[in-house]
PDB file of all heavy atoms in Angstrom:
ATOM      1  N   ALA A 261     102.166 123.396 105.805  1.00  0.00           N
ATOM      2  CA  ALA A 261     103.561 123.721 105.409  1.00  0.00           C
ATOM      3  C   ALA A 261     103.627 124.352 104.112  1.00  0.00           C
ATOM      4  O   ALA A 261     104.384 125.336 103.881  1.00  0.00           O
ATOM      5  CB  ALA A 261     104.293 122.270 105.294  1.00  0.00           C
ATOM      6  N   ILE A 262     102.753 124.018 103.089  1.00  0.00           N
ATOM      7  CA  ILE A 262     102.793 124.739 101.830  1.00  0.00           C
ATOM      8  C   ILE A 262     102.330 126.112 101.941  1.00  0.00           C
ATOM      9  O   ILE A 262     102.989 127.055 101.398  1.00  0.00           O
ATOM     10  CB  ILE A 262     101.763 123.934 100.838  1.00  0.00           C
ATOM     11  CG1 ILE A 262     102.312 122.510 100.521  1.00  0.00           C
ATOM     12  CG2 ILE A 262     101.620 124.703  99.595  1.00  0.00           C
ATOM     13  CD1 ILE A 262     101.352 121.683  99.829  1.00  0.00           C
ATOM     14  N   LEU A 263     101.210 126.362 102.688  1.00  0.00           N
ATOM     15  CA  LEU A 263     100.789 127.816 102.876  1.00  0.00           C
ATOM     16  C   LEU A 263     101.840 128.608 103.556  1.00  0.00           C
ATOM     17  O   LEU A 263     102.029 129.796 103.198  1.00  0.00           O
ATOM     18  CB  LEU A 263      99.538 127.779 103.703  1.00  0.00           C
ATOM     19  CG  LEU A 263      98.189 127.364 103.031  1.00  0.00           C
ATOM     20  CD1 LEU A 263      97.076 127.147 104.081  1.00  0.00           C
ATOM     21  CD2 LEU A 263      97.783 128.378 102.014  1.00  0.00           C
ATOM     22  N   ALA A 264     102.472 128.085 104.498  1.00  0.00           N
ATOM     23  CA  ALA A 264     103.581 128.811 105.203  1.00  0.00           C
ATOM     24  C   ALA A 264     104.713 129.179 104.241  1.00  0.00           C
ATOM     25  O   ALA A 264     105.138 130.362 104.232  1.00  0.00           O
ATOM     26  CB  ALA A 264     104.066 127.993 106.442  1.00  0.00           C
ATOM     27  N   ALA A 265     105.203 128.148 103.513  1.00  0.00           N
ATOM     28  CA  ALA A 265     106.309 128.398 102.674  1.00  0.00           C
ATOM     29  C   ALA A 265     105.910 129.444 101.542  1.00  0.00           C
ATOM     30  O   ALA A 265     106.674 130.281 101.152  1.00  0.00           O
ATOM     31  CB  ALA A 265     106.862 127.135 102.053  1.00  0.00           C
ATOM     32  N   ALA A 266     104.726 129.261 101.039  1.00  0.00           N
ATOM     33  CA  ALA A 266     104.221 130.165 100.034  1.00  0.00           C
ATOM     34  C   ALA A 266     104.085 131.659 100.458  1.00  0.00           C
ATOM     35  O   ALA A 266     104.247 132.586  99.629  1.00  0.00           O
ATOM     36  CB  ALA A 266     102.791 129.711  99.527  1.00  0.00           C
ATOM     37  N   ASN A 267     104.006 131.807 101.749  1.00  0.00           N
ATOM     38  CA  ASN A 267     103.797 133.171 102.406  1.00  0.00           C
ATOM     39  C   ASN A 267     105.160 133.515 103.009  1.00  0.00           C
ATOM     40  O   ASN A 267     105.181 134.555 103.854  1.00  0.00           O
ATOM     41  CB  ASN A 267     102.750 133.183 103.320  1.00  0.00           C
ATOM     42  CG  ASN A 267     101.369 133.223 102.674  1.00  0.00           C
ATOM     43  OD1 ASN A 267     100.969 134.195 102.061  1.00  0.00           O
ATOM     44  ND2 ASN A 267     100.645 132.110 102.773  1.00  0.00           N
ATOM     45  N   GLY A 268     106.222 132.928 102.682  1.00  0.00           N
ATOM     46  CA  GLY A 268     107.613 133.427 103.021  1.00  0.00           C
ATOM     47  C   GLY A 268     108.126 132.969 104.409  1.00  0.00           C
ATOM     48  O   GLY A 268     109.123 133.406 104.907  1.00  0.00           O
ATOM     49  N   VAL A 269     107.435 131.949 105.071  1.00  0.00           N
ATOM     50  CA  VAL A 269     107.939 131.485 106.365  1.00  0.00           C
ATOM     51  C   VAL A 269     109.151 130.618 106.051  1.00  0.00           C
ATOM     52  O   VAL A 269     109.093 129.787 105.140  1.00  0.00           O
ATOM     53  CB  VAL A 269     106.879 130.623 107.037  1.00  0.00           C
ATOM     54  CG1 VAL A 269     107.441 130.017 108.244  1.00  0.00           C
ATOM     55  CG2 VAL A 269     105.699 131.500 107.441  1.00  0.00           C
ATOM     56  N   PRO A 270     110.249 130.788 106.765  1.00  0.00           N
ATOM     57  CA  PRO A 270     111.492 130.028 106.593  1.00  0.00           C
ATOM     58  C   PRO A 270     111.314 128.607 107.074  1.00  0.00           C
ATOM     59  O   PRO A 270     111.933 128.185 108.101  1.00  0.00           O
ATOM     60  CB  PRO A 270     112.568 130.820 107.266  1.00  0.00           C
ATOM     61  CG  PRO A 270     111.789 131.461 108.526  1.00  0.00           C
ATOM     62  CD  PRO A 270     110.408 131.766 107.910  1.00  0.00           C
ATOM     63  N   LEU A 271     110.566 127.803 106.358  1.00  0.00           N
ATOM     64  CA  LEU A 271     110.271 126.423 106.729  1.00  0.00           C
ATOM     65  C   LEU A 271     110.877 125.413 105.734  1.00  0.00           C
ATOM     66  O   LEU A 271     110.753 125.585 104.509  1.00  0.00           O
ATOM     67  CB  LEU A 271     108.786 126.305 106.872  1.00  0.00           C
ATOM     68  CG  LEU A 271     108.203 124.860 107.042  1.00  0.00           C
ATOM     69  CD1 LEU A 271     108.506 124.394 108.502  1.00  0.00           C
ATOM     70  CD2 LEU A 271     106.695 124.853 106.801  1.00  0.00           C
ATOM     71  N   LYS A 272     111.372 124.360 106.216  1.00  0.00           N
ATOM     72  CA  LYS A 272     111.789 123.195 105.414  1.00  0.00           C
ATOM     73  C   LYS A 272     111.088 122.012 105.808  1.00  0.00           C
ATOM     74  O   LYS A 272     111.140 121.660 107.113  1.00  0.00           O
ATOM     75  CB  LYS A 272     113.356 123.056 105.377  1.00  0.00           C
ATOM     76  CG  LYS A 272     114.055 124.116 104.563  1.00  0.00           C
ATOM     77  CD  LYS A 272     113.892 123.893 103.049  1.00  0.00           C
ATOM     78  CE  LYS A 272     114.775 124.879 102.221  1.00  0.00           C
ATOM     79  NZ  LYS A 272     114.480 124.768 100.819  1.00  0.00           N
ATOM     80  N   VAL A 273     110.624 121.192 104.971  1.00  0.00           N
ATOM     81  CA  VAL A 273     110.121 119.879 105.346  1.00  0.00           C
ATOM     82  C   VAL A 273     111.279 118.934 105.382  1.00  0.00           C
ATOM     83  O   VAL A 273     111.935 118.752 104.383  1.00  0.00           O
ATOM     84  CB  VAL A 273     109.062 119.406 104.314  1.00  0.00           C
ATOM     85  CG1 VAL A 273     108.775 117.836 104.498  1.00  0.00           C
ATOM     86  CG2 VAL A 273     107.792 120.177 104.462  1.00  0.00           C
ATOM     87  N   VAL A 274     111.503 118.231 106.564  1.00  0.00           N
ATOM     88  CA  VAL A 274     112.663 117.405 106.689  1.00  0.00           C
ATOM     89  C   VAL A 274     112.279 115.922 106.696  1.00  0.00           C
ATOM     90  O   VAL A 274     113.158 115.096 106.699  1.00  0.00           O
ATOM     91  CB  VAL A 274     113.428 117.707 107.938  1.00  0.00           C
ATOM     92  CG1 VAL A 274     114.180 119.087 107.765  1.00  0.00           C
ATOM     93  CG2 VAL A 274     112.586 117.734 109.206  1.00  0.00           C
ATOM     94  N   ALA A 275     110.949 115.584 106.683  1.00  0.00           N
ATOM     95  CA  ALA A 275     110.556 114.204 106.589  1.00  0.00           C
ATOM     96  C   ALA A 275     109.008 114.127 106.493  1.00  0.00           C
ATOM     97  O   ALA A 275     108.401 115.148 106.762  1.00  0.00           O
ATOM     98  CB  ALA A 275     110.968 113.461 107.863  1.00  0.00           C
ATOM     99  N   ALA A 276     108.548 112.951 106.151  1.00  0.00           N
ATOM    100  CA  ALA A 276     107.095 112.720 106.186  1.00  0.00           C
ATOM    101  C   ALA A 276     106.853 112.291 107.631  1.00  0.00           C
ATOM    102  O   ALA A 276     107.770 111.684 108.338  1.00  0.00           O
ATOM    103  CB  ALA A 276     106.668 111.587 105.278  1.00  0.00           C
ATOM    104  N   TYR A 277     105.648 112.547 108.132  1.00  0.00           N
ATOM    105  CA  TYR A 277     105.296 112.020 109.536  1.00  0.00           C
ATOM    106  C   TYR A 277     104.293 110.861 109.370  1.00  0.00           C
ATOM    107  O   TYR A 277     104.603 109.771 109.850  1.00  0.00           O
ATOM    108  CB  TYR A 277     104.707 113.121 110.410  1.00  0.00           C
ATOM    109  CG  TYR A 277     104.516 112.603 111.821  1.00  0.00           C
ATOM    110  CD1 TYR A 277     105.599 112.739 112.718  1.00  0.00           C
ATOM    111  CD2 TYR A 277     103.353 111.965 112.275  1.00  0.00           C
ATOM    112  CE1 TYR A 277     105.408 112.262 114.084  1.00  0.00           C
ATOM    113  CE2 TYR A 277     103.189 111.421 113.473  1.00  0.00           C
ATOM    114  CZ  TYR A 277     104.221 111.570 114.371  1.00  0.00           C
ATOM    115  OH  TYR A 277     104.109 111.067 115.672  1.00  0.00           O
ATOM    116  N   ALA A 278     103.271 111.132 108.651  1.00  0.00           N
ATOM    117  CA  ALA A 278     102.287 110.078 108.457  1.00  0.00           C
ATOM    118  C   ALA A 278     101.478 110.283 107.232  1.00  0.00           C
ATOM    119  O   ALA A 278     101.315 111.409 106.724  1.00  0.00           O
ATOM    120  CB  ALA A 278     101.399 109.889 109.696  1.00  0.00           C
ATOM    121  N   ARG A 279     100.884 109.154 106.730  1.00  0.00           N
ATOM    122  CA  ARG A 279      99.962 109.220 105.566  1.00  0.00           C
ATOM    123  C   ARG A 279      98.651 108.513 106.162  1.00  0.00           C
ATOM    124  O   ARG A 279      98.713 107.384 106.491  1.00  0.00           O
ATOM    125  CB  ARG A 279     100.473 108.497 104.337  1.00  0.00           C
ATOM    126  CG  ARG A 279     101.857 109.112 103.938  1.00  0.00           C
ATOM    127  CD  ARG A 279     102.709 108.117 103.208  1.00  0.00           C
ATOM    128  NE  ARG A 279     104.050 108.566 103.080  1.00  0.00           N
ATOM    129  CZ  ARG A 279     105.013 108.334 103.936  1.00  0.00           C
ATOM    130  NH1 ARG A 279     104.781 107.778 105.079  1.00  0.00           N
ATOM    131  NH2 ARG A 279     106.328 108.797 103.708  1.00  0.00           N
ATOM    132  N   SER A 280      97.498 109.249 106.045  1.00  0.00           N
ATOM    133  CA  SER A 280      96.376 108.571 106.757  1.00  0.00           C
ATOM    134  C   SER A 280      95.072 109.152 106.211  1.00  0.00           C
ATOM    135  O   SER A 280      94.226 109.790 107.090  1.00  0.00           O
ATOM    136  CB  SER A 280      96.500 108.782 108.224  1.00  0.00           C
ATOM    137  OG  SER A 280      96.786 110.181 108.553  1.00  0.00           O
ATOM    138  N   PRO A 281      94.589 108.964 105.005  1.00  0.00           N
ATOM    139  CA  PRO A 281      93.317 109.521 104.513  1.00  0.00           C
ATOM    140  C   PRO A 281      92.147 108.946 105.222  1.00  0.00           C
ATOM    141  O   PRO A 281      91.115 109.671 105.411  1.00  0.00           O
ATOM    142  CB  PRO A 281      93.350 109.165 103.057  1.00  0.00           C
ATOM    143  CG  PRO A 281      94.322 107.990 102.940  1.00  0.00           C
ATOM    144  CD  PRO A 281      95.366 108.264 103.988  1.00  0.00           C
ATOM    145  N   LYS A 282      92.280 107.705 105.745  1.00  0.00           N
ATOM    146  CA  LYS A 282      91.128 107.037 106.404  1.00  0.00           C
ATOM    147  C   LYS A 282      90.972 107.545 107.833  1.00  0.00           C
ATOM    148  O   LYS A 282      90.036 107.049 108.534  1.00  0.00           O
ATOM    149  CB  LYS A 282      91.270 105.537 106.386  1.00  0.00           C
ATOM    150  CG  LYS A 282      91.210 104.884 104.974  1.00  0.00           C
ATOM    151  CD  LYS A 282      91.375 103.467 105.013  1.00  0.00           C
ATOM    152  CE  LYS A 282      91.425 102.847 103.630  1.00  0.00           C
ATOM    153  NZ  LYS A 282      91.578 101.362 103.649  1.00  0.00           N
ATOM    154  N   ALA A 283      91.793 108.379 108.349  1.00  0.00           N
ATOM    155  CA  ALA A 283      91.849 108.775 109.764  1.00  0.00           C
ATOM    156  C   ALA A 283      91.135 110.086 110.017  1.00  0.00           C
ATOM    157  O   ALA A 283      90.961 110.505 111.151  1.00  0.00           O
ATOM    158  CB  ALA A 283      93.261 108.790 110.288  1.00  0.00           C
ATOM    159  N   TYR A 284      90.689 110.744 108.976  1.00  0.00           N
ATOM    160  CA  TYR A 284      90.089 112.174 109.053  1.00  0.00           C
ATOM    161  C   TYR A 284      88.623 112.044 108.690  1.00  0.00           C
ATOM    162  O   TYR A 284      88.245 111.412 107.737  1.00  0.00           O
ATOM    163  CB  TYR A 284      90.822 113.096 108.215  1.00  0.00           C
ATOM    164  CG  TYR A 284      92.326 113.293 108.531  1.00  0.00           C
ATOM    165  CD1 TYR A 284      93.276 112.443 107.975  1.00  0.00           C
ATOM    166  CD2 TYR A 284      92.635 114.235 109.532  1.00  0.00           C
ATOM    167  CE1 TYR A 284      94.537 112.613 108.328  1.00  0.00           C
ATOM    168  CE2 TYR A 284      93.999 114.391 109.846  1.00  0.00           C
ATOM    169  CZ  TYR A 284      94.932 113.580 109.322  1.00  0.00           C
ATOM    170  OH  TYR A 284      96.247 113.730 109.701  1.00  0.00           O
TER     171      TYR A 284
END
């Protein structure tokens, strides 16, 4: 999401989906 917005993609974050550091 950050990379896309930084490169001009018309993207808005409308919510969190998940937080999961132990899952990767």
Side-chain angles (χ1 to χ4, degrees):
I262 292 167
L263 283 169
N267 284 290
V269 174
L271 170 72
K272 285 289 184 181
V273 166
V274 291
Y277 187 88
R279 306 152 190 86
S280 48
K282 296 180 182 179
Y284 297 91

